[in-house]
Amino acid sequence: MARRTKDESAQTRETILDAAEIEMQARGVSQTSLNRIAQRAQVTRGAIYWHFADKRALLEAMVARTHLPLRDLRECLSQHIPGNEPLWLLREVMRHGLERLGNDPRHRRVCHIVMHRCEVTDEGHPADALMRAMFEDAREVILSLCSEIDQLDLLHPPLSARDASDMVMAFVAGHYECVLRHPETHRADRDWAPLVDAALRGLITEAAARRLAREPAAKPRELEPADH
Amino acid sequence: MARRTKDESAQTRETILDAAEIEMQARGVSQTSLNRIAQRAQVTRGAIYWHFADKRALLEAMVARTHLPLRDLRECLSQHIPGNEPLWLLREVMRHGLERLGNDPRHRRVCHIVMHRCEVTDEGHPADALMRAMFEDAREVILSLCSEIDQLDLLHPPLSARDASDMVMAFVAGHYECVLRHPETHRADRDWAPLVDAALRGLITEAAARRLAREPAAKPRELEPADH
DNA sequence: AAGTATACATACATTCGCGTATGTATGTTC
DNA sequence: GAACATACATACGCGAATGTATGTATACTT
């Protein structure tokens, strides 16, 4: 068989990406041959080389398919925070970032691959560049929120906005690490709210913490995962 | 040349491990051929196969060379905590775990390799088993400390000992992640004390937090990195 | 209805790294 | 000092994965 219709071709492309996700999650990127991916996708390597230049491009497409810039998340969430207060916004961003681990299996798989199933080299792996882009994107949003919080004098001394940002980044990254690498002991579908509150509580003044505890944030509507 | 003396042989072994550390950190485990390691160590692959069964065994030896069980760290630190109070002990464990990133370059390199330069497969990479062992070892110590803290009624409601343990693990893992993966923005030689205090502050009651703030823990003597 | 571009499948050449088998010179033992 | 074990170096065979070149049937264009 050959020359399917355009829709079917696009479908083939998705099938290949799905197969790559599953195989790479199980065996690691470098241990997953294009042949294995082709077999799972019920095609030959020829099809893969038709749609993607090489394994690197395949990986990039895989990540791009699920990548939701945090900037957009902030935009979206900010519409649901009364008064747009940065502390409440930050709480929602953190909570949503962690809940996505349990809600969005594709995000979870891709993060798993990019974080643990893929070697980083000094010349820069394809996925590494994307990791860094995502990290920088998140850091920019979080640092700006922390700066706003700092300007409201809500940070617990002697913490700076930069310190708070580092803490939040490490908090999220650490829980991603635990959940993805040790799923048997760390479940993703837990209630993250108490942990987010505990993390924030350490960063802000006692007064701010008490206000935060009194006002459990309004739950925003569910966000649809980025389809692109 | 052949048949060096026993000391020289041991020296060769160390040289190979050093070379493996450097190469694997730069290129990733699977992208580092034994040939490259041999070249850097000024030997041939024959020498490597004499000292190690295969690449897996080489990696294991590399990790074993720097692995310091957290259990031992706790033992060691507990001698310097007056009254052996679990909250202060936990603070020292966290602080020391992070400071080791800046102090012990070998530990830092090996952690970098095991966390980011090495693919995890489902059947279990050699380094993965060691990662899990280290993680479990740390979790056991930290969870037991959190349980003690919980029994003293120092945990902020509604947190359980398990919650607190998860938070501490994520805190440390997250900062390891940030420092190792993004060294240009996250330095390891910073002062970790304020961040450790902030993390703990969110986990414990306000009263306990105030007591902790009043008593900056006695700095224990430096620990020598695990040799052998 | 014919021609062309598309969407693959098939076949081939090349490279590369691993493991092992074997060679060899030197320390060590008796 | 002869025999043996050690600590490597050298050489070989192998499989596996990659990239490319080519074949081919079908959709789309005119």
Side-chain angles (χ1 to χ4, degrees):
Chain A
M1 66 201 66
R3 187 66 223 272
R4 330 285 301 268
T5 173
K6 233 181 179 187
D7 287 353
E8 286 172 322
S9 166
Q11 174 61 38
T12 302
R13 191 188 132 101
E14 294 298 303
T15 307
I16 291 172
L17 290 176
D18 289 341
E21 255 183 46
I22 295 175
E23 288 293 328
M24 286 180 173
Q25 186 183 6
R27 303 192 159 60
V29 172
S30 80
Q31 295 304 315
T32 300
S33 68
L34 297 182
N35 206 17
R36 287 201 71 98
I37 298 174
Q39 281 183 15
R40 174 171 292 270
Q42 311 254 44
V43 295
T44 63
R45 273 171 53 242
I48 297 181
Y49 275 102
W50 171 255
H51 285 283
F52 310 97
D54 52 10
K55 199 199 267 188
R56 182 192 191 93
L58 174 63
L59 227 186
E60 283 177 8
M62 222 186 67
V63 177
R65 200 166 59 144
T66 183
H67 176 42
L68 169 66
L70 205 59
R71 228 180 303 268
D72 300 348
L73 176 61
R74 180 194 171 155
E75 283 305 312
C76 184
L77 287 172
S78 68
Q79 300 171 1
H80 301 268
I81 304 296
N84 227 356
E85 294 184 60
L87 186 52
W88 275 256
L89 234 181
L90 178 58
R91 173 159 73 174
E92 286 311 312
V93 168
M94 292 167 70
R95 196 182 290 187
H96 197 277
L98 288 171
E99 278 168 0
R100 200 174 174 205
L101 267 183
N103 296 336
D104 185 347
R106 172 162 294 170
H107 174 72
R108 184 193 166 99
R109 272 202 300 271
V110 171
C111 283
H112 198 180
I113 291 172
V114 168
M115 289 182 69
H116 304 136
R117 255 65 172 171
C118 143
E119 291 180 2
V120 180
T121 71
D122 274 349
E123 315 93 71
H125 204 286
D128 188 44
L130 291 162
M131 260 288 296
R132 293 184 176 281
M134 288 172 63
F135 190 89
E136 268 315 306
D137 168 63
R139 209 171 84 92
E140 208 178 302
V141 169
I142 288 178
L143 185 54
S144 90
L145 283 173
C146 288
S147 295
E148 294 183 40
I149 294 170
D150 186 25
Q151 270 154 30
L152 297 174
D153 272 327
L154 298 181
L155 286 188
H156 189 112
L159 297 181
S160 66
R162 171 64 202 272
D163 288 334
S165 164
D166 287 352
M167 287 289 285
V168 172
M169 290 299 289
F171 170 78
V172 177
H175 281 296
Y176 265 64
E177 180 80 13
C178 289
V179 165
L180 291 175
R181 208 189 278 269
H182 308 279
E184 56 305 333
T185 46
H186 294 260
R187 302 193 47 92
D189 56 354
R190 64 173 299 164
D191 179 17
W192 290 105
L195 299 196
V196 170
D197 286 346
L200 285 177
R201 200 185 303 136
L203 300 180
I204 56 182
T205 61
E206 288 187 9
R210 273 192 284 265
R211 275 187 47 218
L212 198 64
R214 252 183 284 117
E215 296 182 37
K219 195 69 185 296
R221 66 167 166 77
E222 287 308 316
L223 302 175
E224 63 282 3
D227 35 44
H228 118 95
Chain B
M1 67 202 65
R3 188 65 223 271
R4 333 284 302 269
T5 171
K6 232 179 179 187
D7 287 353
E8 287 172 321
S9 166
Q11 175 60 39
T12 301
R13 191 187 132 102
E14 294 298 304
T15 306
I16 292 172
L17 290 176
D18 290 341
E21 255 184 43
I22 295 175
E23 289 292 329
M24 287 180 173
Q25 186 183 5
R27 296 174 210 298
V29 172
S30 79
Q31 295 304 317
T32 300
S33 67
L34 296 182
N35 206 16
R36 288 201 72 98
I37 298 174
Q39 280 183 16
R40 174 172 290 271
Q42 313 255 44
V43 295
T44 63
R45 275 171 52 243
I48 297 181
Y49 275 102
W50 171 255
H51 285 283
F52 310 97
D54 52 11
K55 199 200 268 187
R56 181 194 193 91
L58 174 62
L59 228 185
E60 283 177 9
M62 226 186 65
V63 177
R65 202 164 59 142
T66 182
H67 175 44
L68 170 64
L70 206 60
R71 229 181 302 270
D72 300 348
L73 176 60
R74 179 195 171 154
E75 283 305 312
C76 185
L77 288 172
S78 68
Q79 300 171 1
H80 300 268
I81 304 297
N84 227 355
E85 292 184 62
L87 187 51
W88 276 255
L89 234 180
L90 179 58
R91 172 158 75 173
E92 286 311 312
V93 168
M94 293 168 70
R95 195 181 294 187
H96 197 276
L98 288 172
E99 278 169 359
R100 199 173 173 205
L101 267 183
N103 295 337
D104 185 347
R106 172 161 292 170
H107 174 71
R108 184 192 167 103
R109 271 201 301 271
V110 171
C111 282
H112 198 180
I113 292 172
V114 168
M115 289 181 71
H116 304 137
R117 256 65 172 168
C118 145
E119 292 181 3
V120 179
T121 71
D122 273 350
E123 316 92 68
H125 203 286
D128 187 45
L130 291 162
M131 261 287 297
R132 294 185 174 282
M134 287 171 65
F135 190 88
E136 268 314 307
D137 169 62
R139 207 171 84 92
E140 208 179 302
V141 169
I142 288 178
L143 184 54
S144 90
L145 283 173
C146 288
S147 295
E148 293 181 43
I149 294 170
D150 186 25
Q151 271 155 29
L152 297 174
D153 272 327
L154 298 180
L155 286 187
H156 189 111
L159 296 180
S160 66
R162 172 64 203 271
D163 288 334
S165 164
D166 288 353
M167 289 288 286
V168 172
M169 291 298 290
F171 169 78
V172 177
H175 281 294
Y176 265 65
E177 180 80 11
C178 290
V179 165
L180 292 175
R181 210 190 277 269
H182 308 278
E184 49 318 322
T185 46
H186 294 261
R187 302 193 47 92
D189 57 355
R190 65 175 298 164
D191 179 17
W192 290 105
L195 300 196
V196 169
D197 286 347
L200 285 177
R201 201 184 303 134
L203 299 180
I204 56 182
T205 61
E206 288 188 10
R210 275 191 283 264
R211 274 187 50 217
L212 197 64
R214 252 181 286 117
E215 297 182 36
K219 196 69 185 296
R221 66 167 166 78
E222 289 306 317
L223 301 175
E224 63 281 4
D227 37 44
H228 128 85

PDB file of all heavy atoms in Angstrom, chain A residues 95-116:
ATOM      1  N   ARG A  95      -0.307  24.706  41.997  1.00  0.00           N
ATOM      2  CA  ARG A  95      -1.255  23.617  42.130  1.00  0.00           C
ATOM      3  C   ARG A  95      -1.563  23.001  40.760  1.00  0.00           C
ATOM      4  O   ARG A  95      -1.527  21.780  40.588  1.00  0.00           O
ATOM      5  CB  ARG A  95      -2.539  24.153  42.770  1.00  0.00           C
ATOM      6  CG  ARG A  95      -3.441  23.071  43.307  1.00  0.00           C
ATOM      7  CD  ARG A  95      -4.706  23.662  43.886  1.00  0.00           C
ATOM      8  NE  ARG A  95      -4.444  24.406  45.121  1.00  0.00           N
ATOM      9  CZ  ARG A  95      -5.417  24.901  45.884  1.00  0.00           C
ATOM     10  NH1 ARG A  95      -6.686  24.762  45.529  1.00  0.00           N
ATOM     11  NH2 ARG A  95      -5.117  25.538  46.998  1.00  0.00           N
ATOM     12  N   HIS A  96      -1.800  23.876  39.799  1.00  0.00           N
ATOM     13  CA  HIS A  96      -2.157  23.375  38.484  1.00  0.00           C
ATOM     14  C   HIS A  96      -0.998  22.636  37.840  1.00  0.00           C
ATOM     15  O   HIS A  96      -1.193  21.614  37.175  1.00  0.00           O
ATOM     16  CB  HIS A  96      -2.624  24.522  37.588  1.00  0.00           C
ATOM     17  CG  HIS A  96      -3.370  24.045  36.388  1.00  0.00           C
ATOM     18  ND1 HIS A  96      -2.740  23.614  35.244  1.00  0.00           N
ATOM     19  CD2 HIS A  96      -4.694  23.886  36.159  1.00  0.00           C
ATOM     20  CE1 HIS A  96      -3.639  23.244  34.366  1.00  0.00           C
ATOM     21  NE2 HIS A  96      -4.830  23.393  34.886  1.00  0.00           N
ATOM     22  N   GLY A  97       0.198  23.151  38.040  1.00  0.00           N
ATOM     23  CA  GLY A  97       1.366  22.474  37.487  1.00  0.00           C
ATOM     24  C   GLY A  97       1.502  21.065  38.007  1.00  0.00           C
ATOM     25  O   GLY A  97       1.846  20.138  37.257  1.00  0.00           O
ATOM     26  N   LEU A  98       1.227  20.880  39.282  1.00  0.00           N
ATOM     27  CA  LEU A  98       1.344  19.540  39.851  1.00  0.00           C
ATOM     28  C   LEU A  98       0.157  18.663  39.466  1.00  0.00           C
ATOM     29  O   LEU A  98       0.329  17.469  39.187  1.00  0.00           O
ATOM     30  CB  LEU A  98       1.450  19.638  41.381  1.00  0.00           C
ATOM     31  CG  LEU A  98       2.783  20.190  41.863  1.00  0.00           C
ATOM     32  CD1 LEU A  98       2.736  20.457  43.361  1.00  0.00           C
ATOM     33  CD2 LEU A  98       3.909  19.223  41.540  1.00  0.00           C
ATOM     34  N   GLU A  99      -1.024  19.267  39.426  1.00  0.00           N
ATOM     35  CA  GLU A  99      -2.194  18.451  39.099  1.00  0.00           C
ATOM     36  C   GLU A  99      -2.151  17.942  37.675  1.00  0.00           C
ATOM     37  O   GLU A  99      -2.700  16.877  37.372  1.00  0.00           O
ATOM     38  CB  GLU A  99      -3.482  19.266  39.331  1.00  0.00           C
ATOM     39  CG  GLU A  99      -3.899  19.261  40.793  1.00  0.00           C
ATOM     40  CD  GLU A  99      -4.973  20.283  41.092  1.00  0.00           C
ATOM     41  OE1 GLU A  99      -5.397  20.991  40.160  1.00  0.00           O
ATOM     42  OE2 GLU A  99      -5.376  20.373  42.266  1.00  0.00           O
ATOM     43  N   ARG A 100      -1.459  18.669  36.834  1.00  0.00           N
ATOM     44  CA  ARG A 100      -1.355  18.224  35.438  1.00  0.00           C
ATOM     45  C   ARG A 100      -0.663  16.870  35.354  1.00  0.00           C
ATOM     46  O   ARG A 100      -0.880  16.100  34.416  1.00  0.00           O
ATOM     47  CB  ARG A 100      -0.582  19.269  34.622  1.00  0.00           C
ATOM     48  CG  ARG A 100      -0.837  19.136  33.148  1.00  0.00           C
ATOM     49  CD  ARG A 100      -0.216  20.244  32.339  1.00  0.00           C
ATOM     50  NE  ARG A 100      -0.380  19.967  30.928  1.00  0.00           N
ATOM     51  CZ  ARG A 100       0.417  20.441  29.983  1.00  0.00           C
ATOM     52  NH1 ARG A 100       1.423  21.218  30.298  1.00  0.00           N
ATOM     53  NH2 ARG A 100       0.210  20.141  28.720  1.00  0.00           N
ATOM     54  N   LEU A 101       0.191  16.589  36.333  1.00  0.00           N
ATOM     55  CA  LEU A 101       0.869  15.293  36.360  1.00  0.00           C
ATOM     56  C   LEU A 101      -0.150  14.157  36.433  1.00  0.00           C
ATOM     57  O   LEU A 101       0.049  13.091  35.848  1.00  0.00           O
ATOM     58  CB  LEU A 101       1.793  15.214  37.576  1.00  0.00           C
ATOM     59  CG  LEU A 101       3.233  15.625  37.372  1.00  0.00           C
ATOM     60  CD1 LEU A 101       4.008  15.417  38.653  1.00  0.00           C
ATOM     61  CD2 LEU A 101       3.857  14.846  36.242  1.00  0.00           C
ATOM     62  N   GLY A 102      -1.210  14.376  37.206  1.00  0.00           N
ATOM     63  CA  GLY A 102      -2.199  13.321  37.339  1.00  0.00           C
ATOM     64  C   GLY A 102      -3.265  13.364  36.257  1.00  0.00           C
ATOM     65  O   GLY A 102      -3.843  12.338  35.907  1.00  0.00           O
ATOM     66  N   ASN A 103      -3.502  14.570  35.702  1.00  0.00           N
ATOM     67  CA  ASN A 103      -4.597  14.729  34.750  1.00  0.00           C
ATOM     68  C   ASN A 103      -4.229  14.393  33.322  1.00  0.00           C
ATOM     69  O   ASN A 103      -5.033  13.851  32.575  1.00  0.00           O
ATOM     70  CB  ASN A 103      -5.088  16.185  34.755  1.00  0.00           C
ATOM     71  CG  ASN A 103      -5.674  16.571  36.087  1.00  0.00           C
ATOM     72  OD1 ASN A 103      -6.126  15.709  36.829  1.00  0.00           O
ATOM     73  ND2 ASN A 103      -5.655  17.851  36.391  1.00  0.00           N
ATOM     74  N   ASP A 104      -3.030  14.761  32.941  1.00  0.00           N
ATOM     75  CA  ASP A 104      -2.658  14.746  31.532  1.00  0.00           C
ATOM     76  C   ASP A 104      -1.600  13.683  31.288  1.00  0.00           C
ATOM     77  O   ASP A 104      -0.414  13.921  31.439  1.00  0.00           O
ATOM     78  CB  ASP A 104      -2.116  16.137  31.163  1.00  0.00           C
ATOM     79  CG  ASP A 104      -1.811  16.275  29.686  1.00  0.00           C
ATOM     80  OD1 ASP A 104      -1.770  15.245  28.987  1.00  0.00           O
ATOM     81  OD2 ASP A 104      -1.594  17.406  29.231  1.00  0.00           O
ATOM     82  N   PRO A 105      -2.018  12.501  30.905  1.00  0.00           N
ATOM     83  CA  PRO A 105      -1.064  11.394  30.769  1.00  0.00           C
ATOM     84  C   PRO A 105      -0.001  11.674  29.726  1.00  0.00           C
ATOM     85  O   PRO A 105       1.144  11.238  29.882  1.00  0.00           O
ATOM     86  CB  PRO A 105      -1.935  10.205  30.345  1.00  0.00           C
ATOM     87  CG  PRO A 105      -3.324  10.688  30.244  1.00  0.00           C
ATOM     88  CD  PRO A 105      -3.383  12.140  30.522  1.00  0.00           C
ATOM     89  N   ARG A 106      -0.364  12.405  28.702  1.00  0.00           N
ATOM     90  CA  ARG A 106       0.644  12.688  27.671  1.00  0.00           C
ATOM     91  C   ARG A 106       1.721  13.617  28.220  1.00  0.00           C
ATOM     92  O   ARG A 106       2.915  13.377  28.010  1.00  0.00           O
ATOM     93  CB  ARG A 106      -0.030  13.315  26.447  1.00  0.00           C
ATOM     94  CG  ARG A 106       0.963  13.820  25.428  1.00  0.00           C
ATOM     95  CD  ARG A 106       0.335  14.014  24.085  1.00  0.00           C
ATOM     96  NE  ARG A 106      -0.085  12.758  23.488  1.00  0.00           N
ATOM     97  CZ  ARG A 106      -0.831  12.668  22.394  1.00  0.00           C
ATOM     98  NH1 ARG A 106      -1.249  13.766  21.805  1.00  0.00           N
ATOM     99  NH2 ARG A 106      -1.159  11.493  21.909  1.00  0.00           N
ATOM    100  N   HIS A 107       1.306  14.646  28.925  1.00  0.00           N
ATOM    101  CA  HIS A 107       2.270  15.540  29.567  1.00  0.00           C
ATOM    102  C   HIS A 107       3.184  14.748  30.493  1.00  0.00           C
ATOM    103  O   HIS A 107       4.395  14.919  30.515  1.00  0.00           O
ATOM    104  CB  HIS A 107       1.517  16.617  30.345  1.00  0.00           C
ATOM    105  CG  HIS A 107       2.385  17.516  31.166  1.00  0.00           C
ATOM    106  ND1 HIS A 107       3.207  18.460  30.612  1.00  0.00           N
ATOM    107  CD2 HIS A 107       2.569  17.610  32.508  1.00  0.00           C
ATOM    108  CE1 HIS A 107       3.848  19.097  31.563  1.00  0.00           C
ATOM    109  NE2 HIS A 107       3.486  18.600  32.728  1.00  0.00           N
ATOM    110  N   ARG A 108       2.565  13.868  31.234  1.00  0.00           N
ATOM    111  CA  ARG A 108       3.317  13.056  32.177  1.00  0.00           C
ATOM    112  C   ARG A 108       4.356  12.183  31.468  1.00  0.00           C
ATOM    113  O   ARG A 108       5.525  12.128  31.858  1.00  0.00           O
ATOM    114  CB  ARG A 108       2.313  12.169  32.923  1.00  0.00           C
ATOM    115  CG  ARG A 108       2.895  11.328  34.007  1.00  0.00           C
ATOM    116  CD  ARG A 108       1.855  10.282  34.420  1.00  0.00           C
ATOM    117  NE  ARG A 108       2.464   9.250  35.229  1.00  0.00           N
ATOM    118  CZ  ARG A 108       2.396   9.222  36.554  1.00  0.00           C
ATOM    119  NH1 ARG A 108       1.743  10.145  37.198  1.00  0.00           N
ATOM    120  NH2 ARG A 108       2.993   8.265  37.230  1.00  0.00           N
ATOM    121  N   ARG A 109       3.919  11.534  30.416  1.00  0.00           N
ATOM    122  CA  ARG A 109       4.853  10.671  29.667  1.00  0.00           C
ATOM    123  C   ARG A 109       6.004  11.467  29.094  1.00  0.00           C
ATOM    124  O   ARG A 109       7.174  11.081  29.200  1.00  0.00           O
ATOM    125  CB  ARG A 109       4.112   9.947  28.545  1.00  0.00           C
ATOM    126  CG  ARG A 109       3.496   8.627  28.939  1.00  0.00           C
ATOM    127  CD  ARG A 109       3.257   7.746  27.719  1.00  0.00           C
ATOM    128  NE  ARG A 109       2.367   8.363  26.756  1.00  0.00           N
ATOM    129  CZ  ARG A 109       1.052   8.238  26.766  1.00  0.00           C
ATOM    130  NH1 ARG A 109       0.488   7.519  27.710  1.00  0.00           N
ATOM    131  NH2 ARG A 109       0.323   8.822  25.851  1.00  0.00           N
ATOM    132  N   VAL A 110       5.677  12.596  28.459  1.00  0.00           N
ATOM    133  CA  VAL A 110       6.718  13.385  27.806  1.00  0.00           C
ATOM    134  C   VAL A 110       7.698  13.951  28.840  1.00  0.00           C
ATOM    135  O   VAL A 110       8.908  13.934  28.627  1.00  0.00           O
ATOM    136  CB  VAL A 110       6.099  14.500  26.956  1.00  0.00           C
ATOM    137  CG1 VAL A 110       7.166  15.460  26.459  1.00  0.00           C
ATOM    138  CG2 VAL A 110       5.353  13.903  25.775  1.00  0.00           C
ATOM    139  N   CYS A 111       7.151  14.432  29.955  1.00  0.00           N
ATOM    140  CA  CYS A 111       8.052  14.920  31.000  1.00  0.00           C
ATOM    141  C   CYS A 111       8.959  13.803  31.497  1.00  0.00           C
ATOM    142  O   CYS A 111      10.155  14.009  31.725  1.00  0.00           O
ATOM    143  CB  CYS A 111       7.248  15.494  32.168  1.00  0.00           C
ATOM    144  SG  CYS A 111       6.586  17.136  31.848  1.00  0.00           S
ATOM    145  N   HIS A 112       8.392  12.635  31.647  1.00  0.00           N
ATOM    146  CA  HIS A 112       9.173  11.495  32.096  1.00  0.00           C
ATOM    147  C   HIS A 112      10.327  11.223  31.131  1.00  0.00           C
ATOM    148  O   HIS A 112      11.470  11.024  31.527  1.00  0.00           O
ATOM    149  CB  HIS A 112       8.270  10.278  32.210  1.00  0.00           C
ATOM    150  CG  HIS A 112       8.843   9.192  33.057  1.00  0.00           C
ATOM    151  ND1 HIS A 112       8.220   8.016  33.293  1.00  0.00           N
ATOM    152  CD2 HIS A 112      10.014   9.122  33.715  1.00  0.00           C
ATOM    153  CE1 HIS A 112       8.964   7.265  34.062  1.00  0.00           C
ATOM    154  NE2 HIS A 112      10.060   7.913  34.338  1.00  0.00           N
ATOM    155  N   ILE A 113       9.997  11.226  29.861  1.00  0.00           N
ATOM    156  CA  ILE A 113      11.025  10.963  28.849  1.00  0.00           C
ATOM    157  C   ILE A 113      12.101  12.037  28.894  1.00  0.00           C
ATOM    158  O   ILE A 113      13.295  11.755  28.949  1.00  0.00           O
ATOM    159  CB  ILE A 113      10.386  10.906  27.456  1.00  0.00           C
ATOM    160  CG1 ILE A 113       9.498   9.659  27.334  1.00  0.00           C
ATOM    161  CG2 ILE A 113      11.454  10.893  26.372  1.00  0.00           C
ATOM    162  CD1 ILE A 113       8.677   9.610  26.072  1.00  0.00           C
ATOM    163  N   VAL A 114      11.656  13.292  28.887  1.00  0.00           N
ATOM    164  CA  VAL A 114      12.620  14.387  28.800  1.00  0.00           C
ATOM    165  C   VAL A 114      13.483  14.465  30.055  1.00  0.00           C
ATOM    166  O   VAL A 114      14.665  14.783  29.993  1.00  0.00           O
ATOM    167  CB  VAL A 114      11.879  15.709  28.567  1.00  0.00           C
ATOM    168  CG1 VAL A 114      12.803  16.877  28.756  1.00  0.00           C
ATOM    169  CG2 VAL A 114      11.290  15.734  27.174  1.00  0.00           C
ATOM    170  N   MET A 115      12.895  14.140  31.209  1.00  0.00           N
ATOM    171  CA  MET A 115      13.664  14.264  32.448  1.00  0.00           C
ATOM    172  C   MET A 115      14.527  13.054  32.749  1.00  0.00           C
ATOM    173  O   MET A 115      15.634  13.183  33.265  1.00  0.00           O
ATOM    174  CB  MET A 115      12.714  14.517  33.623  1.00  0.00           C
ATOM    175  CG  MET A 115      12.081  15.885  33.623  1.00  0.00           C
ATOM    176  SD  MET A 115      11.005  16.156  35.055  1.00  0.00           S
ATOM    177  CE  MET A 115      12.194  16.225  36.405  1.00  0.00           C
ATOM    178  N   HIS A 116      14.028  11.866  32.451  1.00  0.00           N
ATOM    179  CA  HIS A 116      14.731  10.677  32.940  1.00  0.00           C
ATOM    180  C   HIS A 116      15.064   9.644  31.884  1.00  0.00           C
ATOM    181  O   HIS A 116      15.818   8.725  32.145  1.00  0.00           O
ATOM    182  CB  HIS A 116      13.892   9.984  34.026  1.00  0.00           C
ATOM    183  CG  HIS A 116      13.545  10.876  35.155  1.00  0.00           C
ATOM    184  ND1 HIS A 116      12.295  10.916  35.715  1.00  0.00           N
ATOM    185  CD2 HIS A 116      14.288  11.777  35.821  1.00  0.00           C
ATOM    186  CE1 HIS A 116      12.279  11.798  36.689  1.00  0.00           C
ATOM    187  NE2 HIS A 116      13.470  12.344  36.773  1.00  0.00           N
TER     188      HIS A 116
END
